[in-house]
Each structure stands twice: as structure tokens, then as C-alpha cells.
Amino acid sequence: MSLPLVDAVVIGASAGGVDALMVLLAGLPAGWRLPLVAVLHLPESHESRLAEVFRARLPIAVHEAQDKAPIAPATLYFAPPGYHLSIERDRRFSLSCEPPLHWSRPAIDMTMNSAADAYGPSLAGLLLTGANEDGAAGLARIHRAGGLTAVQDPEEAQVATMPLGALARHRPDHILPLRELRELLMQLDAAHAP
């Protein structure tokens, strides 16, 4: 399979997303290079422990994204609760308190739209399980910018609304179960590595 060279991967998920990410990211190799940016719908009033949970399971750096911080390779970032997470054209994070989108802040569409503008065809977007249509417009924008798009197979998703919303907007490059999305990630990183 011929894959494009990508410089970053943005992953969106909602209901069932933590379990899905556990499967998707299990066994990342220590030599992993690509930056991964994950946006999950989180309650605004609670501190997130996602970075702590995944840091204990992965051999790469894991952080909650910070305003104005540059995006580093070999790092998994989580959008913090209560803020929209954007990626600027200089590939730094930007946090904002604009109104919720799809009843959520952070919103997946916000991050994917900005990432598509920042990375163009060198971006991959993955949309996983979830209970609303957040991410569908963002994934379509990544596609229009020339990036690679992939959706979790709705038949496997814990909640199929989010994958089905994406499929209603555009035909992604891949519709795969988590195990095969994980293999796709591995191949993207292998192609990216110097």
C-alpha cells in the first residue's frame, strides 16, 4: 500500500473514545516519530487525567497541549478540557474559549480544521467512535486539503454516530476496524521516519 508522507496525525473521538485509543495506540514502538494530537470530548468542569493514563502505557512523551507550545515529534498531545485546541500555521498550539461546538469544548472540528490549514497534504486525520457529528466537517476539510482520512468502521465503533456522520460528508481514504487503523498508523510512522 502506497501511503503519503505525513508530518502529524489528528485523532478525534467521543463516547467510547478512551477505550478505542487504548486499542489504537497499544504497542507503539519506542522509536515512534510522528506527533499525535488527540481530541476527546471531556467534561469542562473536571481535570483530565488522560495524559497521565496514557503516559504510563506508551513509550513516547504524552502531554496536555499548552497554549503557544510548538508541536514536537514523538509526542502524544491531548486537548485540555474547557478549551478549543487549534493548530497555527507555524505548527504551535493555540487554546481558546470560544463557545462550544457540537456541545463540546474542545471540539474535534475546531482542531481538525486548523490542522488542515497548517499541514495541508502532510496531515492524517482519524475519526473514531462517538455520539455526535463532531469531526465530520473537520475530516472533510483535511480531505479537501489533500490529507489522508480514515474512519473507524461504524460496525465496530462503540457508538457509530460519529463515524457515520463523517461517512455522510465524504468518502475517506480508509474505513477500518481499530486493529487495522493501528496498522495504518504504524505504516504512516514508518514512512515518515528518516
Side-chain angles (χ1 to χ4, degrees):
M1 175 171 50
S2 176
L3 291 174
L5 292 177
V6 301
D7 292 330
V9 180
V10 177
I11 304 165
S14 184
V18 175
D19 290 341
L21 272 185
M22 291 282 188
V23 174
L24 182 70
L25 303 179
L28 289 186
W32 184 266
R33 297 282 305 154
L34 282 173
L36 305 166
V37 180
V39 183
L40 275 70
H41 291 165
L42 300 167
E44 292 192 18
S45 58
H46 293 82
E47 186 176 334
S48 171
R49 298 188 62 205
L50 285 173
E52 179 183 339
V53 168
F54 280 84
R55 189 177 300 126
R57 289 170 167 78
L58 299 178
I60 63 174
V62 183
H63 301 290
E64 197 165 88
Q66 301 293 315
D67 194 39
K68 308 307 179 198
I71 297 174
T75 304
L76 168 63
Y77 296 95
F78 284 101
Y83 296 93
H84 289 305
L85 177 66
S86 296
I87 297 174
E88 303 294 337
R89 290 184 184 269
D90 65 358
R91 300 184 178 179
R92 292 178 182 268
F93 289 118
S94 176
L95 301 180
S96 70
C97 294
E98 297 168 59
L101 185 61
H102 301 289
W103 303 278
S104 185
R105 190 174 53 200
I108 299 164
D109 276 343
M110 187 82 74
T111 305
M112 285 188 167
N113 286 342
S114 63
D117 292 344
Y119 284 92
S122 65
L123 178 71
L126 278 60
L127 196 62
L128 311 178
T129 177
N132 71 26
E133 296 188 353
D134 191 17
L139 205 67
R141 188 151 166 179
I142 291 172
H143 175 74
R144 289 194 302 274
L148 180 145
T149 57
V151 172
Q152 183 181 6
D153 185 340
E155 292 193 10
E156 181 206 61
Q158 187 171 327
V159 183
T161 307
M162 192 171 281
L164 289 172
L167 295 177
R169 286 261 186 161
H170 88 289
R171 178 78 181 175
D173 298 297
H174 303 275
I175 305 169
L176 299 169
L178 285 174
R179 184 170 41 83
E180 293 179 33
L181 284 174
R182 182 181 169 283
E183 181 58 31
L184 175 63
L185 268 183
M186 297 293 179
Q187 292 177 13
L188 288 172
D189 190 63
H192 171 82

